[in-house]
Amino acid sequence: TEAPGTNYAYVAMNFDDPVLARREVRQALASATDRESIVRYLYRGLARLADSILPPESWAYTGDVAHYAYDPVRAERLLDAAGFPRNPQLGGMRIRLTLKTSTDDTPRLLGAALQQQWRRVRVDLELRSLETATFFSDIGKGSFQLYTLRWIGGNNDPDIFEVFNSQRMPPNGANRGHYRNPRYDALLAQARAETGRGKRGRVLAEVQEIIAGDLPYLHLWYMDNVSVHRKRVANVTLEPTGSYDFLAGIAVR
């Protein structure tokens, strides 16, 4: 049994890094990423492309934001605009970046795919797979340029946007990339003060527009949920979050 899920995969950017601090560079990396091919070949099609940390199932979701289709020509144009031309001293590369992952197979394979794709726009990506405790220690301390992780179940409510609040940097939150935007912070405060969904939804729509342009995360996809079971197990209705609540309703024939 398969069903669309809301667990969200992303690549985080470190805004304290002088290269990734450039908005054009972050947008270039998004344009250089062929997400459809990765979903097709690495995940066997079992994912939906994401343009927000908030999934379409949420009442506050808006799709009226910047989208980043695979466009290597645009990516190279953006890198030129950011001041990173092809550099003979770097072997024709424009920039060199490092992506940290855990030692699990899936993020390592994702890193290898990104390494291959970004090389087409002359971005040299080094991969570092770290043991789990070291990985989380590094990203918590801001010792990274890029890392990849997933949000599991915690991203279905618009309160998830607090993750980019400049007041929520470790150890006070999960803004590990040190994203800072005063307008964004002000909108979050306004959204918290609103009680009605109508006005709050309009504020949150602007929040999503800002994130889509600034890209503290490179949005990847929402993973589908899959249950493998015998045919005699019936009434399997999977929850978008991937919770096990569906077990309460199953029947055995």
Side-chain angles (χ1 to χ4, degrees), residues 185-232:
D185 290 350
L187 287 169
L188 288 182
Q190 184 179 347
R192 286 194 299 271
E194 296 293 341
T195 56
R197 281 192 173 184
K199 191 168 184 180
R200 188 175 182 226
R202 290 190 290 273
V203 174
L204 290 168
E206 186 175 349
V207 164
Q208 291 168 78
E209 289 176 26
I210 291 173
I211 290 302
D214 285 350
L215 288 178
Y217 285 175
L218 193 167
H219 306 300
L220 295 177
W221 39 74
Y222 310 107
M223 296 300 302
D224 290 351
N225 293 319
V226 180
S227 171
V228 180
H229 52 83
R230 296 182 181 274
K231 291 182 180 180
R232 65 192 184 93

Side-chain angles (χ1 to χ4, degrees), residues 119-138:
R119 192 171 185 84
R120 296 170 191 162
V121 300
R122 315 310 290 175
V123 172
D124 188 12
L125 183 65
E126 178 186 354
L127 305 179
R128 291 188 186 173
S129 299
L130 305 173
E131 184 271 330
T132 301
T134 303
F135 173 71
F136 279 101
S137 175
D138 279 8

Side-chain angles (χ1 to χ4, degrees), residues 4-220:
T6 57
N7 293 331
Y8 160 84
Y10 65 94
V11 174
M13 317 270 191
N14 191 336
F15 278 65
D16 290 337
D17 182 85
V19 175
L20 293 169
R22 301 295 300 270
R23 194 170 190 253
E24 297 94 339
V25 171
R26 301 192 301 274
Q27 293 182 347
L29 295 179
S31 297
T33 304
D34 186 356
R35 298 178 297 163
E36 290 187 359
S37 290
I38 297 175
V39 167
R40 185 181 310 118
Y41 295 110
L42 184 57
Y43 295 99
R44 302 295 187 265
L46 296 175
R48 298 175 292 163
L49 300 190
D51 291 304
S52 174
I53 188 173
L54 192 70
E57 285 78 3
S58 171
W59 68 267
Y61 174 85
T62 177
D64 189 18
V65 297
H67 301 271
Y68 297 89
Y70 177 54
D71 189 344
V73 173
R74 180 173 184 263
E76 294 215 58
R77 190 164 58 244
L78 285 164
L79 290 169
D80 284 334
F84 296 105
R86 298 189 180 210
N87 188 345
Q89 295 182 345
L90 296 177
M93 292 294 172
R94 297 172 179 273
I95 54 178
R96 286 177 174 162
L97 298 171
T98 300
L99 173 71
K100 291 188 174 181
T101 74
S102 71
T103 55
D104 293 342
D105 284 345
T106 299
R108 289 193 299 105
L109 290 171
L110 169 60
L114 294 176
Q115 183 183 56
Q116 182 181 42
Q117 291 181 359
W118 292 0
R119 192 171 185 84
R120 296 170 191 162
V121 300
R122 315 310 290 175
V123 172
D124 188 12
L125 183 65
E126 178 186 354
L127 305 179
R128 291 188 186 173
S129 299
L130 305 173
E131 184 271 330
T132 301
T134 303
F135 173 71
F136 279 101
S137 175
D138 279 8
I139 66 176
K141 292 184 295 187
S143 177
F144 66 90
Q145 284 183 300
L146 304 161
Y147 72 82
T148 183
L149 266 179
R150 295 184 191 178
W151 277 98
I152 306 295
N155 62 312
N156 288 264
D157 188 280
D159 285 345
I160 188 63
F161 290 117
E162 289 288 340
V163 73
F164 302 126
N165 189 328
S166 65
Q167 304 302 312
R168 301 296 184 186
M169 296 178 188
N172 299 316
N175 185 358
R176 303 181 181 111
H178 293 182
Y179 174 68
R180 304 172 182 87
N181 185 319
R183 173 61 180 165
Y184 181 86
D185 290 350
L187 287 169
L188 288 182
Q190 184 179 347
R192 286 194 299 271
E194 296 293 341
T195 56
R197 281 192 173 184
K199 191 168 184 180
R200 188 175 182 226
R202 290 190 290 273
V203 174
L204 290 168
E206 186 175 349
V207 164
Q208 291 168 78
E209 289 176 26
I210 291 173
I211 290 302
D214 285 350
L215 288 178
Y217 285 175
L218 193 167
H219 306 300
L220 295 177

